[in-house]
Amino acid sequence: AQSVTQLDSHVSVSEGTPVLLRCNYSSSYSPSLFWYVQHPNKGLQLLLKYTSAATLVKGINGFEAEFKKSETSFHLTKPSAHMSDAAEYFCVVRGNAGNMLTFGGGTRLMVKP
Amino acid sequence: EAGVAQSPRYKIIEKRQSVAFWCNPISGHATLYWYQQILGQGPKLLIQFQNNGVVDDSQLPKDRFSAERLKGVDSTLKIQPAKLEDSAVYLCASSPLDGRGLEETQYFGPGTRLLVL
């Protein structure tokens, strides 16, 4: 079985400062990992995914994440936050059988002007 | 391309009533999923279809929830009778199959927000 832990339920940053959203996973095999973003009243949107290729994954809107097997982590970063980045972010692991996704509890990112 | 469509967007019912949600996946996507997202939590998979067959429904409360995808395209999710704890957002997602017949990235609809009073 796999699981995901998002270490912060809320993160607040100022516009223009770096963003770090932390995620640790547990899996008995080499996982596929994703970050999704959810804006209010909108569907989940895929930011980026890791599927055993390069460990540093670049996504949309300037986000990137680094897969660190030794630390079982997949933290999401962005060099400079924008007001439009304020949303809920979910770290997700995909099961080995089928395409079952297991979501973390989410991190709400707030961006202050 | 058009995304995953869901309706209605919002629904308010009283407990013990029944309710149904509809999902139209992205054209050509073989796999369709229904998730339940309770406020403050991540989505939880309820059921997964591939074409018109069920792949996984281990987390579907079958005493009150049912889902179908009769023609392998649209899907409906029904709750009968509803309980207060069913208040949540119900998300539909779809994914294509790759050349090896494996599911690829899931694309999500906007969800149906259900409130049970």
Side-chain angles (χ1 to χ4, degrees):
Chain A
Q2 65 270 4
S3 66
V4 174
T5 302
Q6 291 184 243
L7 300 169
D8 308 291
S9 59
H10 294 80
V11 170
S12 180
V13 301
S14 297
E15 190 175 22
T17 64
V19 175
L20 170 64
L21 305 183
R22 299 183 295 166
C23 171
N24 285 104
Y25 69 91
S26 172
S27 176
S28 56
Y29 45 82
S30 295
S32 293
L33 293 159
F34 307 78
W35 276 97
Y36 279 85
V37 60
Q38 188 174 38
H39 290 274
N41 299 316
K42 292 191 176 180
L44 287 155
Q45 181 184 19
L46 180 67
L47 275 180
L48 49 82
K49 63 180 178 180
Y50 166 78
T51 55
S52 76
T55 55
L56 183 62
V57 182
K58 294 189 184 298
I60 61 172
N61 300 336
F63 284 94
E64 62 182 36
E66 186 172 8
F67 173 72
K68 292 187 177 180
K69 185 175 181 179
S70 60
E71 299 176 10
T72 61
S73 68
F74 190 57
H75 301 334
L76 182 71
T77 60
K78 182 174 181 178
S80 177
H82 191 272
M83 295 297 291
S84 61
D85 294 329
E88 187 91 17
Y89 291 79
F90 292 96
C91 182
V92 184
V93 62
R94 182 166 67 187
N96 197 33
N99 198 19
M100 180 177 174
L101 299 184
T102 300
F103 284 74
T107 297
R108 181 165 297 277
L109 176 65
M110 293 167 283
V111 182
K112 298 175 290 186
Chain B
E1 79 184 350
V4 176
Q6 291 187 246
S7 67
R9 292 295 310 276
Y10 305 91
K11 191 75 176 180
I12 301 174
I13 61 173
E14 295 186 348
K15 60 183 179 183
R16 291 188 290 274
Q17 286 187 322
S18 62
V19 65
F21 313 127
W22 173 82
C23 173
N24 188 324
I26 294 173
S27 178
H29 282 194
T31 311
L32 183 147
Y33 315 78
W34 282 102
Y35 289 83
Q36 179 192 58
Q37 185 177 17
I38 293 172
L39 186 66
Q41 299 180 17
K44 181 187 79 171
L45 180 70
L46 292 175
I47 188 168
Q48 175 183 346
F49 293 94
Q50 188 171 113
N51 297 312
N52 60 353
V54 176
V55 174
D56 184 347
D57 64 355
S58 57
Q59 300 191 81
L60 187 73
K62 298 181 186 62
D63 58 332
R64 298 184 300 106
F65 286 65
S66 65
E68 59 183 16
R69 193 185 184 200
L70 292 175
K71 297 182 179 179
V73 181
D74 295 4
S75 177
T76 56
L77 176 69
K78 297 179 182 177
I79 308 175
Q80 183 179 13
K83 292 185 175 181
L84 297 177
E85 57 262 36
D86 298 331
S87 295
V89 176
Y90 291 84
L91 297 166
C92 180
S94 70
S95 64
L97 296 177
D98 66 12
R100 299 170 296 170
L102 301 176
E103 294 97 347
E104 293 195 334
T105 300
Q106 296 183 28
Y107 296 87
F108 286 79
T112 296
R113 187 175 298 273
L114 173 68
L115 178 60
V116 182
L117 303 175

